[in-house]
Amino acid sequence: MVTAITVVAGVGLSAAASGDANAELSGALGAKWTRTQDGPQKYAGYTVKPDVPIRMSDGTILRGNLIRPTGRDGRPVSEKLPTIVNMTPYTKMVSALATEVMNYPALVPQLIELLNAINLQGTFLSGYNELVGALRGGLINTFAYDPKLIKSGYNMLVVDVRGTGFSQGDWQVFGSRERKDTVEVIDWVKKQSWDNGKVGMAGVSYSAINQLQAASDAPGQLGAIFPIVPGADLTQDVIAPGGGVGMGFLAPWLGLVNGTKLIPNVASMLNGTFDWKWLGDRVKDPLTYFDVMIEALTTRTPKGLHGTTKALVTAGSERRKSLYTDLSKVQTPTFAIGGWNDLFTFSESRLLTNLTSLNDGQRKLIMDDGYHITSGSNFGQPGYPPRLDVLARAWYDKWLKGIDNGIDRYSPATLSQEPSGTFVQGPTFPLPGHQRQRQYLSGRPSHTTSTPVAGDGSLSADAPSARATRQVKPGLSTVCSRDGAQSAAGITALFDFCARDSRVSEIAAQTFTSAPARVATTISGTPVVHLRQRLSATDGYWHATVNVVSPDGRSTTVSMGQLMVSLRALDRQRTTFAPNGDVIDAIPLLSIDDYRPVRPGQVLTIDIPMTATQAKLRPGDRLRVDLYAFNFPKGVPLGPELWSSQLRPQYIEIDPAAPSWVNVPVSRPLP
């Protein structure tokens, strides 16, 4: 039941490979924070006041559960205390149920140990251990509310986002009015008799995104935030990856939220206080954004897009602006948890760089190797950071209570290193000491593929000496891939052979593989695939992965990206270039105003934006680039793009005069 609740709520469970302990990673400070979280608390208990009405400036009433600590008499304490706000679209009823189940004292600890003791490694369900690992990693309490945190001296307010749960209004999906709601809720809290003026925020995924939004929209109003798997540029993250439609995630997610928002408040029906305005709002908009998705996938020409659909694909529109958070405005101490395979890796990997108003003591980032619903697995175990609830408690105690507990001295960047899962730490991400190197694509076979592939080529520091053309046909093998697991938020990681090994998905790929690394070499940062290509239609969709190939042939994806050729124009203000002009962090505009189909047969060079990574090649490991002509289900071409591409074959043109390469940030040159 616990697992089912967690998956439905959209939060996470996972386990990573064990690594060597690091003194700062899991040493004396971590043990101290854990004792504080797990030891006796100041107050005896807590009480939940359900469905507190909070009126917004436009008259819409949001409803929240107010949780406050109680004394031995069972009454809320009289002291003014800091308050933690959680804004959720998954209905506070689900979060309350998840919290109460997870904190049932007699059964749950034994149940968690039993679930984690079941070892399915080596079976076709080997990802099971990843999916249950976070039950002990502290994620559930940070998704909902943490009884230990409340009993230590905090109020908690869990509010249904406008148009979801029991709140009135139409669901805006991070629209400008919804963003204003969060700021107004924070202001409302500060005016209450039980709050001492110190307000923080908590939550996972959606509730992490609006933490960053609130901190940016109301600089200085929040005392601390602890966002887990947040996004800051939702268009680049999940809505239009590379210019396609992020259908693999968006379709089931919209179904989840639209389904839960229709659950009525049964208690109000029984006691005669049912909110008829709530019902009217739901009847008006029962399937938010499904019409937009259908239009995006079926419209045949750009001129056929209109309304919200057109606004979403137009850079600079008000709708696009509401989906973007300017992190440079954030003045609130921020401790973020991300993942290399998370839905929002694009944003998470850039957090430390973009939180320019904060110093190192006020900004922290942990990048796990998990997926969206597998974040924080095994945290608290040897070789891993402390549990998520432990870190959150220490962060709030420091910035909302002024307790000098050392959390501000935790390393700014704590990074899981792929594919092993061991952690490294440093002052920032990317880690210092890495230099850019081109690895060129060549038509010369590498003879390293032991399974069928569309084509076998080489990768090396030397430019190719001969011309070659490689054909790539659209295929569905990416359903069984790390990209597929990522777009499903990690649920399909249950089938570990897909998520951990790319040899199945490589059936449809042209592969380019390097010679073995002679010495241990790390990659820290964002690769970019610079591709000379040709289409047989007026558009095409390229998908690329960067993999680490072990001596036994296992191919592990460590970076992935995609790009519609018609939307190849880069955002010159945000894209980063090396001194020699190479693109080293490609950020496309993804705007219909820059939609530029090509002539069939025209040879063009594109730069495919990739996700960042922290990876390590051991001696004998190889670097590989896979190139695909489709990436279902993660990204599906927008309607006009799909009709233009006609899913025809695409071609890689290997030319010594105009070579293709992957630009990688490495600790030492690769052969």
Side-chain angles (χ1 to χ4, degrees), residues 239-477:
I239 295 174
V245 179
M247 193 181 82
F249 168 70
L250 292 177
W253 177 71
L254 287 171
L256 169 68
V257 180
N258 279 301
T260 56
K261 78 179 187 182
L262 298 176
I263 300 174
N265 188 338
V266 177
S268 69
M269 297 170 70
L270 296 175
N271 62 26
T273 61
F274 182 72
D275 186 349
W276 292 99
K277 174 68 165 58
W278 172 93
L279 180 60
D281 291 338
R282 295 302 184 274
V283 170
K284 286 189 299 181
D285 185 29
L287 296 174
T288 303
Y289 269 77
F290 267 102
D291 57 334
V292 173
M293 178 173 288
I294 292 171
E295 180 180 331
L297 291 171
T298 58
T299 301
R300 298 187 62 162
T301 67
K303 292 182 179 180
L305 300 173
H306 64 277
T308 301
T309 310
K310 184 176 181 180
L312 283 170
V313 297
T314 304
S317 68
E318 289 303 313
R319 190 65 190 100
R320 281 281 285 269
K321 290 178 182 178
S322 71
L323 296 168
Y324 177 79
T325 300
D326 185 351
L327 296 176
S328 68
K329 294 181 179 180
V330 174
Q331 300 174 14
T332 303
T334 302
F335 198 130
I337 309 295
W340 299 123
N341 304 304
D342 182 43
L343 293 165
F344 304 110
T345 303
F346 176 90
S347 293
E348 293 159 355
S349 62
R350 293 168 170 80
L351 279 174
L352 290 181
T353 302
N354 292 336
L355 289 169
T356 54
S357 296
L358 302 177
N359 59 43
D360 285 349
Q362 297 171 317
R363 57 184 177 189
K364 310 292 178 185
L365 173 66
I366 296 179
M367 290 295 287
D368 193 12
D369 69 345
Y371 298 90
H372 197 62
I373 68 162
T374 63
S375 180
S377 171
N378 274 3
F379 277 26
Q381 306 300 308
Y384 294 85
R387 297 193 323 260
L388 294 174
D389 57 327
V390 169
L391 290 169
R393 164 75 180 278
W395 194 246
Y396 297 136
D397 280 354
K398 166 64 182 177
W399 298 109
L400 298 181
K401 291 187 175 180
I403 299 173
D404 185 12
N405 54 19
I407 189 69
D408 55 320
R409 298 189 292 277
Y410 200 71
S411 180
T414 300
L415 313 168
S416 176
Q417 192 160 251
E418 299 185 283
S420 68
T422 57
F423 279 87
V424 295
Q425 294 186 300
T428 188
F429 177 78
L431 294 178
H434 290 75
Q435 300 294 324
R436 289 280 170 171
Q437 182 191 18
R438 291 181 181 180
Q439 282 280 305
Y440 292 95
L441 278 61
S442 167
R444 176 174 50 85
S446 70
H447 302 294
T448 60
T449 56
S450 58
T451 54
V453 295
D456 171 32
S458 296
L459 201 64
S460 76
D462 299 322
S465 58
R467 294 178 61 93
T469 298
R470 292 297 181 84
Q471 184 187 75
V472 190
K473 295 180 179 180
L476 297 176
S477 64

Side-chain angles (χ1 to χ4, degrees), residues 499-516:
R500 294 290 183 185
D501 194 340
S502 300
R503 283 179 288 186
V504 174
S505 63
E506 285 174 349
I507 292 173
Q510 286 283 346
T511 68
F512 299 86
T513 312
S514 74

Side-chain angles (χ1 to χ4, degrees), residues 587-661:
I587 302 180
L589 285 167
L590 303 185
S591 177
I592 204 69
D593 293 335
D594 295 281
Y595 176 72
R596 291 182 294 170
V598 302
R599 294 192 319 272
Q602 181 182 8
V603 179
L604 289 173
T605 301
I606 59 173
D607 289 288
I608 302 176
M610 308 292 288
T611 57
T613 186
Q614 181 67 39
K616 182 177 182 179
L617 282 77
R618 300 164 298 179
D621 287 347
R622 301 170 186 263
L623 192 71
R624 174 176 291 169
V625 170
D626 292 336
L627 289 166
Y628 302 83
F630 205 44
N631 192 18
F632 182 85
K634 180 178 179 178
V636 176
L638 194 69
E641 302 160 348
L642 185 62
W643 285 103
S644 296
S645 72
Q646 301 177 42
L647 297 181
R648 290 184 180 180
Q650 302 172 188
Y651 299 89
I652 303 166
E653 295 292 349
I654 296 173
D655 184 353
S660 299
W661 64 75

